[in-house]
Structures are given as C-alpha cells and as structure tokens.
C-alpha cells in the first residue's frame, strides 16, 4: 500500500495534544493517536514549516515509496515487579524475525510471519516503535508480539482530528456540578450480584464446565460463541442487540440498546471489549481479567436493569467490542459510524480490566491520565467517592483502550481500570488469565461496576416501576 504518491513524505510524531495543533494545517494530515503520541503524515512543505511553530516536542521520520502498512507498537505501562529485565531484547528478537526477507525464511518460520516484503523499522524509542509491514501481517501482529507490546495499525488515509466540542464538555460539567448522593441510585447499583459476576466470567473464560470457549481471540471460534452468548443474555435482560461486523475475519461488535422514554437523540454508552489475548504459541486465551471482567460488569449491569424494571430517560447503549487487541478495531469502526451519523453521545465509559490488584493493596479504581476527557474522568471519580468509597481512586498510565476511539472522534469519554498505577497483573496477556487465582477480586469488579452504573444512571436519568 502506498500512502501517497508524493514522496518523500515526512512523518511527524507529536507528543502533546494542544489546541494549536488541532487548529493548524496539520489537522488535515492526522493519522490517529497511538500510544500517547499524535501521528501526522504529510508531504506539504508549507504546512511543515507552519507546523514546526506549534510543536513543542516530537520527531520527524522520512518515509519512502516502499512503505507498506504502518503499525505503531507500544510497550504497555507495566509495574517494574512484572516487567522482564529483557524487555528491550524481546523487541529486538521479535523484530529481527519479522524483518527477514522472504527468500531467506525457512518453511517453519514462514508460517509464523506471512510477511511478503521484509518489515522495516522506521522509528524507535525505548517503549514505542513504528514499523512498516504487509497488511496481512499487520492484522495478526498481536499473536507474535512480546507480551507487553501492543500493536496499533495506522489508518490508510488521514482521519479527521476532532476535539470534543465545548458544548459537549459543558453538558458533562453540568452533570458534575449538580451531583449529589441519591439513595435510589445507591440501592440500584449495589444490587449487582457477585456470585453472578463469577458465573459469567467463568463462562467467558472457559473455566466453567458448561463453557466450550477456549479462546476469545478476535479470530477464534470461541469469540463467536461468546458473541452469541452475550447477545442472548443482554436480550434476556430487555436490551435490543445487534451483532455488528466491522472487518472481514474479525468477530463482530455486540451493540445493545435500551431506548429512552424521552423524545431525545441523547445517548449514554458504556462498554468493554470481549476479545482476549493469550500467551505466544498457546491456543488458550481465557481473558478472565482482560477483559472478561469489564464484559461481565456490563452484563451484571444489564441484569440489574431488568431485575429492577429500570426505564431510562435518555437512550442507553451497552457495547461489547471486538478487535481491541489488534488495535482498537471494533471501537474505531463503531465510533466513526456514530460520528458520521451525527450521534448525540453525552458520554461513554469503557471498562477494561477491573479484577486484579496485588496482595496487600486495597481495592482501587484507576482513571486515565492522558487519553480521555478530563471532565468525564472527574465525574467518574466523584461518583466513585459517593457510591464506592471503598475504592482508592487515582490515575493510571495504562493506556489506550476503546474509549480512545470515542475521544478522538469528539465524544466525551473515559476508562475505568483496576489499579491506580501501572499494570501489575502477572497474567496480563497470558493464557493463565483465569478468574480463579490469587489477586483476582470479584468485590473490586463489583465496586467498579457500581461506579460505571452510577455514571449511567446519573447521566441518562431513569424511572422505576410504580410499585417499587
Ligand atoms: C468532586 O471531587 C472533588 C475532589 O476530588 C471535590 O473537590 C469536588 O467538590 C467534587 N465535586 C462534586 C460536585 O461533588
Ligand atoms: C437484588 O434485588 C432483588 C430484588 O429486586 C433481591 O431479591 C436480591 O437479593 C438483590 N440482590 C442483591 C445482591 O442485592
Ligand atoms: C420528537 O422530537 C422531534 C424533534 O424535536 C419532533 O419532530 C417529533 O415530532 C417528536 N416526536 C414525538 C413523538 O413527540
Ligand atoms: C443533543 O441532545 C440535546 C438534548 O436533547 C439537544 O439539545 C442537542 O441539540 C442535541 N445535539 C445534537 C448534535 O443532536
Ligand atoms: Zn483490555
């Protein structure tokens, strides 16, 4: 794939997201936010000259004509206690295997990488890299990457650079400023059942003898079983669901709606991703924490909606995304679709990894420090203090789940995560990510799900049946 017939192209990597950049000519050449860097590709010299005035930091890379699919690789923010001392070497080994020209690859290696032309390393820092590979390889890189690295393919053409509009931020601020404890909300959110959360996670992870799921990797058989099971279970709890395919080969997004009682386009969305990732070379990808926990929290919320006979005033969507592990694919497509339809999203909250905390640590809620809408994050933090005071709230550098797709399409968005700090789950991206293990805490999942649910209730508004 050629990005642009004009060569040489300059590739710019820009660290901070500033209003100056979004208003400059560079905004036409935006290729998304990857890791925590904004990527722009342009051959427009005038714009480059103008842009350098706005950039406080960043790097430029020269692109050549033979560039294929560009993929950003990011080392995740993991705690030093689980970070291998060899993490730099792991990347080098991975890349050297990837970059062997096809002629020199033996048959056994060929099955590992289908790379038609040798991959190229274009940019590298200690914790990130930009590579060029053939498009088929780009989609399956997660199967080969060292454990803590995540891939995020760049789009094939520029995407709009859409800041969250100030009216949308004002709307969130209004909810935030009107916030006070509501005993009815407290009683509803506390109805989430821990034994039911456990049963649901065990089905999704394949720990339950009733489950045939071995993996929920985006291309697996099990992920399709999970999709049907999620749709059936959300529908059994009053939602209308659609399996929405987005890209050939990937499992679909599971999109579930509760129509509001008011005549309004306003919509509140809560979500998780139901695909998972296992260990290199293993077919098992149980994803008990990542992100069986967030998916189960959504289902736990749906169960309470039905049990209490809740009717929302605004429209509500519960969405389980696929393709997250390959680079936020499911949410990228869905957020784009909502943007193109002019959807009126008040806010969205993604739950990704709610279950784990280290021995001796209190239950926690981690909120994103960079990617997301500050006002939504503040709203969630305040609701946590009100409805789940047992959680210690703080920021996490663990970055870049599906809320990013919404934030970069101009929708107010944030994420809830299990730890006020970097990832510390020793089974992260591992085939041992089961729910039945030390450190996996269902009470913490419930506490965080209460916060996500309270955000939904305070934002969408609701009524209970008269007999309640
Ligand atoms: C939200 O929490 C902050 C402290 O974290 C507090 O200063 C502020 O008053 C709270 N706002 C509301 C509306 O409760
Ligand atoms: C949830 O509410 C139902 C009745 O509406 C009650 O029977 C059940 O015990 C409650 N569960 C929890 C965990 O509070
Ligand atoms: C809903 O609102 C729209 C626009 O505000 C209006 O055109 C429509 O008639 C309303 N529908 C009902 C059922 O009130
Ligand atoms: C979103 O909904 C609000 C409340 O009904 C309305 O005031 C606003 O105009 C809507 N915005 C869009 C873009 O439809
Ligand atoms: Zn995840």
């Amino acid at each position: 794939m050629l990005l642009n017939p004009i060569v040489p192209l300059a590739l710019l990597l820009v660290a901070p997201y500033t209003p100056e950049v979004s208003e400059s000519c560079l905004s036409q050449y935006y290729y998304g936010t990857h890791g925590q860097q904004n990527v722009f590709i342009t051959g427009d010299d005038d714009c480059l000259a103008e842009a350098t005035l706005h950039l406080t930091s960043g790097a430029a890379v020269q692109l050549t004509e033979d560039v294929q699919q560009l993929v950003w690789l990011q080392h995740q923010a993991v705690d030093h206690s689980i970070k291998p001392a060899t993490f730099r070497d792991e990347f080098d080994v991975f890349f050297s295997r990837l970059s062997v020209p096809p002629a020199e690859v033996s048959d056994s290696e060929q099955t590992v990488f289908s790379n038609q032309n040798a991959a190229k390393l274009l940019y590298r820092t200690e914790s990130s890299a930009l590579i060029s590979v053939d498009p088929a390889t780009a989609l399956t890189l997660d199967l080969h990457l060292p454990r803590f690295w995540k891939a995020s393919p760049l789009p094939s053409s520029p995407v709009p650079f859409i800041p969250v509009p100030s009216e949308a931020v004002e709307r969130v601020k209004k909810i935030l400023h009107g916030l006070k404890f509501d005993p009815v909300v407290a009683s509803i959110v506390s109805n989430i059942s821990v034994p039911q959360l456990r049963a649901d996670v065990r089905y999704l992870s394949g720990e339950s003898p009733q489950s045939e799921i071995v993996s929920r990797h985006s291309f697996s058989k099990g992920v399709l079983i999970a999709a049907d099971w999620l749709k059936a279970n959300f529908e059994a709890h009053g939602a209308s669901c659609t399996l929405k395919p987005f890209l050939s080969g990937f499992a679909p997004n599971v999109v579930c709606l509760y129509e509001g009682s008011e005549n309004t386009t306003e919509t509140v969305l809560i979500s998780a991703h139901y695909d998972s990732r296992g260990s290199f070379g293993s077919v098992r990808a149980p994803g008990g924490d990542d992100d069986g926990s967030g998916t189960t929290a959504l289902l736990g919320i749906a169960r309470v909606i039905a049990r209490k006979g809740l009717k929302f005033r605004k429209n509500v969507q519960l969405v389980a995304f696929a393709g997250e592990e390959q680079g936020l694919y499911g949410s990228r497509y869905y957020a784009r679709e909502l943007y193109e339809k002019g959807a009126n999203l008040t806010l969205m909250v993604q739950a990704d990894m709610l279950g784990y905390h280290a021995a001796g640590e209190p239950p926690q809620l981690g909120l994103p420090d960079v990617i997301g809408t500050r006002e939504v994050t503040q709203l969630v933090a305040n609701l946590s203090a009100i409805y789940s005071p047992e959680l210690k709230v703080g920021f996490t550098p663990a970055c870049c789940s599906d809320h990013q797709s919404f934030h970069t399409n101009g929708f107010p968005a944030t994420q809830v995560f299990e730890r006020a700090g970097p990832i510390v789950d020793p089974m992260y991206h591992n085939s041992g990510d089961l729910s039945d293990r030390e450190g996996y805490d269902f009470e913490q999942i419930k506490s965080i799900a209460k916060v996500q649910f309270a955000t939904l209730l305070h934002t969408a508004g609701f009524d209970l049946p008269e007999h309640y």
Side-chain angles (χ1 to χ4, degrees):
M1 176 203 66
L2 292 183
L3 284 159
N4 192 317
I6 309 163
V7 282
L9 294 167
L11 168 72
L12 283 176
L13 312 161
V14 185
Y17 174 109
T18 62
E20 290 75 23
V21 171
S22 71
E23 283 159 20
S24 81
C25 60
L26 265 189
S27 63
Q28 322 161 51
Y29 303 115
Y30 175 61
Y31 279 73
T33 301
H34 302 275
Q36 300 188 345
Q37 315 269 354
N38 298 312
V39 178
F40 302 91
I41 300 175
T42 178
D44 176 345
D45 287 343
D46 293 342
C47 181
L48 283 175
E50 185 199 322
T52 48
L53 301 173
H54 304 299
L55 301 181
T56 49
S57 63
V61 180
Q62 202 75 30
L63 295 183
T64 52
E65 213 165 341
D66 58 351
V67 121
Q68 307 176 71
Q69 171 67 53
L70 295 172
V71 183
W72 186 272
L73 301 173
Q74 182 71 38
H75 191 270
Q76 297 296 99
V78 297
D79 193 75
H80 64 87
S81 62
I82 60 166
K83 192 184 218 165
T86 55
F87 83 97
R88 287 179 206 81
D89 306 341
E90 281 176 352
F91 181 88
D92 294 339
V93 170
F94 157 80
F95 191 76
S96 66
R97 283 197 293 136
L98 188 63
S99 56
V100 177
E104 294 167 31
V105 178
S106 73
D107 278 355
S108 60
E109 281 170 285
Q110 188 69 58
T111 58
V112 177
F113 292 117
S114 64
N115 209 20
Q116 294 304 306
N117 304 296
K120 274 191 161 179
L121 182 61
L122 301 169
Y123 172 76
R124 173 84 198 269
T125 68
E126 178 160 297
S127 59
S128 65
L130 185 74
I131 64 171
S132 159
V133 291
D134 78 79
T137 303
L139 290 179
T140 53
L141 273 179
D142 68 301
L143 295 170
H144 312 293
L145 276 169
R147 184 162 158 230
F148 296 126
W149 290 82
K150 265 185 103 159
S152 166
L154 268 58
S156 53
S157 52
V159 292
F161 192 92
I162 309 161
V164 179
S166 56
E167 309 85 74
V169 173
E170 284 308 315
R171 200 154 59 166
V172 175
K173 276 190 181 164
K174 229 172 115 185
I175 301 165
L176 177 61
H177 292 139
L179 208 56
K180 61 178 205 296
F181 174 76
D182 179 342
V184 180
V185 170
S187 120
I188 294 170
V189 299
S190 66
N191 196 243
I192 294 171
S193 156
V194 166
Q196 186 68 58
L197 290 174
R198 178 181 281 111
D200 288 343
V201 164
R202 287 172 56 80
Y203 181 83
L204 288 170
S205 65
E207 286 166 273
S208 158
Q210 273 79 52
S211 174
E212 292 172 58
I213 296 172
V214 173
S215 169
R216 297 192 320 279
H217 188 273
S218 288
F219 309 130
S220 68
K221 177 167 152 258
V223 77
L224 298 176
I225 299 174
D228 288 336
W229 183 83
L230 287 168
K231 179 175 188 285
N233 274 281
F234 282 117
E235 284 183 338
H237 296 93
S240 312
C241 303
T242 317
L243 298 181
K244 282 177 78 79
F246 52 87
L247 196 59
S248 168
F250 281 82
N253 291 328
V254 185
V255 176
C256 298
L257 317 177
Y258 291 92
E259 201 179 309
S261 58
E262 289 176 359
N263 180 17
T264 176
T265 55
E266 259 195 279
T267 302
V268 184
L269 189 153
I270 57 173
S271 58
H273 72 87
Y274 75 101
D275 65 309
S276 64
R277 178 172 158 182
S279 305
F280 178 76
S282 169
V283 292
R284 189 96 177 85
D289 189 23
D290 187 9
D291 182 22
S293 58
T295 307
T296 298
L298 275 190
L299 194 48
I301 290 169
R303 290 180 189 280
V304 176
I305 292 170
R307 207 181 292 139
K308 300 288 176 195
L310 284 181
K311 190 80 195 138
F312 295 105
R313 298 198 178 152
K314 293 172 186 162
N315 304 296
V316 167
Q317 298 197 8
L318 272 49
V319 185
F321 293 111
E324 197 272 351
E325 300 291 2
Q326 288 72 38
L328 312 181
Y329 271 100
S331 59
R332 276 203 223 182
Y333 276 83
Y334 192 56
R336 192 86 218 126
E337 179 186 324
L338 291 182
Y339 172 75
E340 279 164 6
K341 282 186 180 161
N344 198 353
L345 275 200
T346 318
L347 57 81
M348 78 82 80
V349 181
Q350 162 84 352
D352 193 356
M353 297 173 68
L354 310 183
Y356 189 86
H357 62 81
E361 288 187 348
Q364 293 161 72
L365 168 62
L367 297 168
D369 58 357
V370 176
I371 307 278
T373 315
R374 211 177 48 232
E375 290 77 6
V376 184
T377 303
Q378 183 66 57
L379 175 64
V380 168
N382 283 50
L383 284 164
S384 180
I386 295 175
Y387 296 106
S388 291
E390 66 277 17
L391 292 173
K392 182 186 145 210
V393 182
F395 285 117
T396 176
C399 155
C400 313
S401 187
D402 291 313
H403 63 297
Q404 176 174 328
S405 302
F406 286 79
H407 182 69
T408 55
N409 275 290
F411 296 122
T414 197
Q415 180 193 352
V416 288
F417 174 71
E418 63 198 8
R419 191 160 186 270
I423 297 166
V424 77
D425 183 353
M427 292 300 158
Y428 176 64
H429 285 172
N430 187 289
S431 295
D433 181 7
L434 301 171
S435 69
D436 185 12
R437 61 187 168 99
E438 173 109 44
Y440 194 103
D441 182 355
F442 281 101
E443 292 294 340
Q444 179 177 283
I445 298 179
K446 173 169 174 173
S447 294
I448 301 177
K450 280 165 64 183
V451 176
Q452 196 186 23
F453 197 5
T455 309
L456 175 63
L457 294 169
H458 273 271
T459 307
F462 64 94
D463 294 288
L464 288 162
E466 272 169 31
H467 63 263
Y468 184 77

